[in-house]
Amino acid sequence: MHDHRGRFSALTFASDESHPPLLRSLTRYEKAPTFISMSGAGSPTIGWWDGVTLTPRELECLKWASRGKSAWDISQLLGVSRRTVTFHLENAKAKLGVRTISQAVVRLAASRQAKS
């Protein structure tokens, strides 16, 4: 299995039965293995800061923005469109209650320092 970022994982189940109950469940819910692989320990997690929930992609876009990257630069790094990056940055700004990307980066950094 692989996720949208190209990461690979494997999930196996062994049983003495020819058609175990778990296999029947997985057949019924065929997307479950993909979900399990994407929610594993290697996957980015959703972040909570000061009661604000940011998605992994919002955090990733803010991380690159904090390093001086433009929306176009970030889109090239992440392999998505510039519009998609702008969408995530706009969502992050709205959630953090700020008007600019610089303010979002500063608010996030200040919040992380307060947690440590």
Side-chain angles (χ1 to χ4, degrees), residues 1 11 26 29-37:
M1 289 179 275
L11 178 65
L26 289 177
Y29 304 105
E30 63 187 38
K31 297 294 184 190
T34 302
F35 173 76
I36 291 168
S37 72

Side-chain angles (χ1 to χ4, degrees), residues 11-25:
L11 178 65
T12 62
F13 299 96
S15 174
D16 293 335
E17 297 178 41
S18 62
H19 199 64
L22 180 61
L23 183 58
R24 289 191 303 267
S25 295

Side-chain angles (χ1 to χ4, degrees), residues 1-9 37-38 40-44 60:
M1 289 179 275
H2 67 279
D3 66 9
H4 65 285
R5 294 182 187 190
R7 295 183 191 155
F8 291 89
S9 66
S37 72
M38 290 175 63
S43 301
E60 195 169 27

Side-chain angles (χ1 to χ4, degrees), residues 42-83:
S43 301
T45 57
I46 294 175
W48 288 272
W49 289 273
D50 296 336
V52 175
T53 304
L54 297 175
T55 66
R57 194 58 104 177
E58 290 164 352
L59 287 169
E60 195 169 27
C61 289
L62 283 174
K63 175 190 80 168
W64 285 112
S66 73
R67 295 178 180 174
K69 301 295 183 189
S70 69
W72 185 86
D73 294 331
I74 297 168
S75 74
Q76 298 304 298
L77 290 163
L78 301 182
V80 298
S81 72
R82 186 183 65 74
R83 177 67 192 116

Side-chain angles (χ1 to χ4, degrees), residues 95-115:
K95 289 177 181 182
L96 293 167
V98 297
R99 292 174 40 170
T100 68
I101 294 169
S102 297
Q103 290 171 335
V105 168
V106 169
R107 171 132 192 255
L108 187 60
S111 176
R112 284 184 167 179
Q113 286 177 351
K115 286 178 78 175

